[in-house]
Amino acid sequence: MISSLFMINLSGDIFMERHWQKVVSRSICDYFFEAQAKATSPSDIPPVISTPHHFLISIFRNNMYFVSVVLQEVPPLLVVEFLHRIMDIFADYFSECTEQRIKEHYVTVYELLEEMLDNGYPLATESNILKELIRPPSLVRAVVNAVTGDSNIRSQLPTGQLSNIPWRRTGVKYTNNEVFLDLIEEIDCIIDKQGSLVMSEIHGKIECNSRLSGMPDCTLSFTNARILDDVSFHPCIRYKRWEAERVISFVPPDGNFRLLSFNITNQGIISQPIYATPLFSYTEGGGKMELRVGPKQNMGKIIEDVVVTIPMAQTVTNVNLTTSAGVGTYDPVGRVVTWNIGKIAPQKYFTATGSITLQTGSGIPESNPTVSVDFKVPLITMSGLKVSRLDIYGEKYRAFKGIKYLTKAGRFQIRS
């Protein structure tokens, strides 16, 4: 399936590569660089690029591109999901997945890729299994390996590798048994200049941190599970019970894992947490802008980490911004206005006004920019999805159970 994998930074340097079925020349990445040059942002690069003899499937995360080379047609979402899984494993091993961390742990990265892919096909993708095969790097272990000549690779197979529950190792014991769930929703939204909703969609996930002894059997139920569309499950979930009862039944892996992800496309149940009313006007040689941002009236929560981004036209040379709260800046290189508001309390709103300077003789811009808003709303979900109860069977202890809700912006855009 995957013949080669190239890791590329923002500068276009290939800082790491790995080949499985056969060695593919780095020149194959020229097709990717051509698509990158045509795109206005990393998210606009096509995830699948066809070449005369190969397919390039890529993702962009943490200021890095992971570009895989595929020799024949495969389900592209399978490759995309696997590339994201590689990054998740690196983040779990090295605390963060960045170019610097990958360069610091070249050996461990190659060992992980060797175990995760067998002749180009996904094999071991569970963090628990990989940690039993390859020990996570640490300063003490590095010193011991240097003295003894040992390596991070264990000589024995993982304890759960040959069982019918390969995602959980045996003999797990904790002094304090606890399980935490994070229900996170990202809202994608497009609003026209009249304030009417053009498109709204929610991409959600449930992240789980399980620290339970033994072999617990868990059931998770929701108050309104029928609103979930296009649900993607972790292999530990019993799909038949979900189909019959809309109940999540599973034996959890040990540690951090994603229990499920889902989409909600029913715009009738998606509430809009924040509004923005941009106004731009131009004359010869300049112009004015005015922007008002605040929470919707039905929002009873504080909106945090609010950042407004406005990509200006190429003919704009400067923007002098005056804000009622936060800090507003203009980047003349990227031609981007950034307004960092911070927190917005319920029933409050903030305004920003500014004067725009255009290049001499450039004329009036043909169109107004699109305003992007980034934010977080803790303790609430825009879809109204809530966990009803979480039960643990098969063990005699009483575990602590916690649930946290979070809504954040995905691609939240307001047209002007």
Side-chain angles (χ1 to χ4, degrees):
M1 188 174 77
I2 297 178
S3 177
S4 301
L5 175 64
F6 297 94
M7 301 181 190
I8 307 173
N9 58 21
L10 287 177
S11 302
D13 299 326
I14 302 174
F15 63 90
M16 188 172 185
E17 60 185 277
R18 179 71 171 87
H19 305 277
W20 284 274
Q21 296 176 358
K22 69 174 186 178
V23 177
V24 179
S25 172
R26 286 189 173 192
S27 60
I28 192 67
C29 294
D30 291 342
Y31 294 98
F32 175 80
F33 294 139
E34 290 177 5
Q36 184 185 24
K38 296 177 182 178
T40 57
S41 67
S43 59
D44 294 331
I45 298 176
V48 180
I49 300 173
S50 178
T51 72
H53 303 289
H54 307 85
F55 294 97
L56 303 182
I57 303 178
S58 63
I59 64 170
F60 177 77
R61 268 177 62 179
N62 300 345
N63 295 325
M64 294 183 297
Y65 299 96
F66 276 29
V67 182
S68 63
V69 180
V70 179
L71 300 179
Q72 56 190 1
E73 287 194 21
V74 297
L77 289 180
L78 173 63
V79 181
V80 169
E81 177 64 24
F82 181 75
L83 294 178
H84 280 291
R85 183 64 61 89
I86 291 176
M87 282 199 164
D88 293 338
I89 293 296
F90 289 172
D92 191 21
Y93 262 74
F94 314 134
S95 74
E96 60 179 354
C97 182
T98 61
E99 178 185 356
Q100 183 64 30
R101 287 302 178 97
I102 292 176
K103 288 181 177 179
E104 290 173 356
H105 302 95
Y106 262 133
V107 175
T108 306
V109 167
Y110 274 109
E111 291 171 348
L112 287 171
L113 293 176
E114 184 68 27
E115 295 296 338
M116 294 182 72
L117 280 174
D118 181 19
N119 196 32
Y121 289 87
L123 180 62
T125 59
E126 286 297 326
S127 178
N128 294 315
I129 299 299
L130 290 170
K131 284 182 179 179
E132 288 197 65
L133 287 167
I134 303 168
R135 302 181 184 93
S138 66
L139 181 60
V140 175
R141 187 164 292 121
V143 173
V144 172
N145 291 346
V147 174
T148 63
D150 197 4
S151 67
N152 289 333
I153 301 178
R154 298 178 185 268
S155 59
Q156 297 178 346
L157 279 175
T159 54
Q161 186 74 35
L162 302 179
S163 71
N164 59 351
I165 308 178
W167 54 82
R168 185 175 181 87
R169 58 189 176 92
T170 59
V172 180
K173 291 183 180 180
Y174 288 103
T175 304
N176 298 319
N177 294 281
E178 52 193 14
V179 56
F180 300 98
L181 299 176
D182 290 346
L183 202 165
I184 304 170
E185 290 186 348
E186 287 191 8
I187 179 169
D188 292 347
C189 192
I190 298 177
I191 303 170
D192 63 17
K193 56 184 177 181
Q194 284 80 29
S196 302
L197 187 66
V198 177
M199 185 278 293
S200 182
E201 188 176 10
I202 285 179
H203 307 281
K205 59 184 178 182
I206 297 181
E207 300 285 351
C208 184
N209 183 5
S210 172
R211 301 175 61 85
L212 301 174
S213 304
M215 196 68 67
D217 199 324
C218 304
T219 58
L220 177 68
S221 56
F222 303 96
T223 55
N224 45 359
R226 298 291 175 182
I227 67 175
L228 296 179
D229 296 331
D230 191 17
V231 188
S232 176
F233 296 110
H234 189 278
C236 68
I237 294 177
R238 301 179 179 96
Y239 183 64
K240 287 187 177 180
R241 185 166 181 188
W242 166 257
E243 279 191 318
E245 306 175 31
R246 290 297 182 185
V247 172
I248 305 294
S249 175
F250 62 101
V251 175
D254 184 44
N256 296 301
F257 65 99
R258 179 173 298 178
L259 184 64
L260 60 89
S261 58
F262 59 88
N263 293 330
I264 297 177
T265 56
N266 185 355
Q267 298 186 10
I269 63 174
I270 300 176
S271 57
Q272 187 181 322
I274 197 171
Y275 72 88
T277 55
L279 181 62
F280 295 88
S281 60
Y282 295 99
T283 58
E284 290 296 331
K288 294 182 180 180
M289 63 166 288
E290 184 177 345
L291 180 62
R292 177 173 171 174
V293 179
K296 285 287 190 176
Q297 292 183 357
N298 58 354
M299 283 293 299
K301 302 290 185 181
I302 296 177
I303 303 178
E304 300 178 352
D305 300 336
V306 181
V307 179
V308 180
T309 305
I310 309 173
M312 305 300 290
Q314 293 297 317
T315 56
V316 175
T317 59
N318 190 33
V319 177
N320 293 318
L321 202 64
T322 303
T323 63
S324 60
V327 179
T329 59
Y330 176 69
D331 178 14
V333 177
R335 304 185 189 277
V336 175
V337 173
T338 303
W339 181 17
N340 194 332
I341 301 175
K343 295 183 179 181
I344 303 181
Q347 309 302 323
K348 296 285 185 180
Y349 67 89
F350 300 111
T351 59
T353 57
S355 60
I356 303 171
T357 304
L358 300 176
Q359 293 177 357
T360 304
S362 60
I364 298 174
E366 297 180 356
S367 61
N368 291 330
T370 299
V371 178
S372 298
V373 185
D374 193 18
F375 58 85
K376 291 181 181 178
V377 188
L379 308 178
I380 195 173
T381 57
M382 292 298 101
S383 65
L385 181 67
K386 291 185 178 180
V387 173
S388 173
R389 59 185 299 166
L390 174 62
D391 298 315
I392 301 175
Y393 303 100
E395 299 292 339
K396 296 181 180 180
Y397 53 76
R398 295 186 63 181
F400 176 81
K401 295 169 280 189
I403 176 71
K404 183 174 67 175
Y405 300 95
L406 176 67
T407 295
K408 58 183 181 179
R411 300 186 69 175
F412 199 95
Q413 300 177 342
I414 298 96
R415 297 171 178 171
S416 58

